[in-house]
Amino acid sequence: MDEKNQVEPAMGMAEETGHFSLEASDAPATKAAPVSAWTPDGEQPAAPPGKGAMPDEDSVIEAIATVYDPEIPVNIYELGLIYAIDLHEDGSVKVEMTLTAPNCPRAQELPVQVKEAVEKIETVTSATVEIVWEPPWDMSRMSEDARLALNMF
């Protein structure tokens, strides 16, 4: 088969049992860098991206906490669906998350929402979201605030 007829794997394809990665091979590697920024003193050249500006964990958690499972009135961070956040000096962020159940009707949407929320952070150059199933999610992973909101003591 020649190169023109080869089909790229679709975004969000299962890579192996228990893993799902949200990456697009044809997606831009980084956000477009701003050329300048406005300040009260006038327009200034923008600082080069990634120079001494590594994303911080609090900003990433805050961004992830804006994503809600539409069936549950608690954000996915408080639900305990985020297993790992890896921050890199080049501004890239990798998030490992799970879902409440493998047959979750929002399985395709939630990882995309997490990726988009994290990429809105100014110091993030790219984000990767990986779905993992081990260890399986259970209610013990929920924060105390989430348990109170859902009346699950």
Side-chain angles (χ1 to χ4, degrees):
M1 177 187 310
D2 64 26
E3 287 185 33
K4 288 192 274 186
N5 293 331
Q6 290 181 349
V7 176
E8 291 286 325
M11 185 164 81
M13 295 287 292
E15 292 183 339
E16 56 186 74
T17 304
H19 285 81
F20 176 90
S21 182
L22 184 63
E23 293 184 80
S25 59
D26 59 342
T30 61
K31 295 188 275 187
V35 176
S36 64
W38 185 88
T39 69
D41 297 325
E43 197 166 333
Q44 303 291 323
K51 299 262 176 154
M54 184 172 145
D56 66 282
E57 187 174 32
D58 290 338
S59 297
V60 174
I61 290 170
E62 187 176 308
I64 291 170
T66 65
V67 178
Y68 283 75
D69 183 320
E71 298 171 353
I72 304 171
V74 176
N75 73 65
I76 65 169
Y77 186 80
E78 295 294 327
L79 281 175
L81 299 181
I82 305 300
Y83 284 2
I85 298 171
D86 295 327
L87 308 172
H88 301 275
E89 289 182 11
D90 66 355
S92 63
V93 176
K94 179 182 178 190
V95 177
E96 287 184 7
M97 67 175 287
T98 195
L99 301 169
T100 55
N103 59 349
C104 174
R106 300 294 189 200
Q108 298 296 317
E109 297 167 27
L110 286 176
V112 172
Q113 291 175 340
V114 170
K115 179 178 177 16
E116 290 172 351
V118 171
E119 286 181 337
K120 287 181 183 176
I121 300 169
E122 193 171 308
T123 55
V124 172
T125 57
S126 66
T128 303
V129 178
E130 184 176 350
I131 298 290
V132 296
W133 299 108
E134 294 296 327
W137 179 86
D138 62 47
M139 289 188 288
S140 70
R141 296 186 173 277
M142 294 169 47
S143 71
E144 189 173 319
D145 289 341
R147 289 172 197 240
L148 287 171
L150 299 173
N151 291 323
M152 298 178 148
F153 301 100

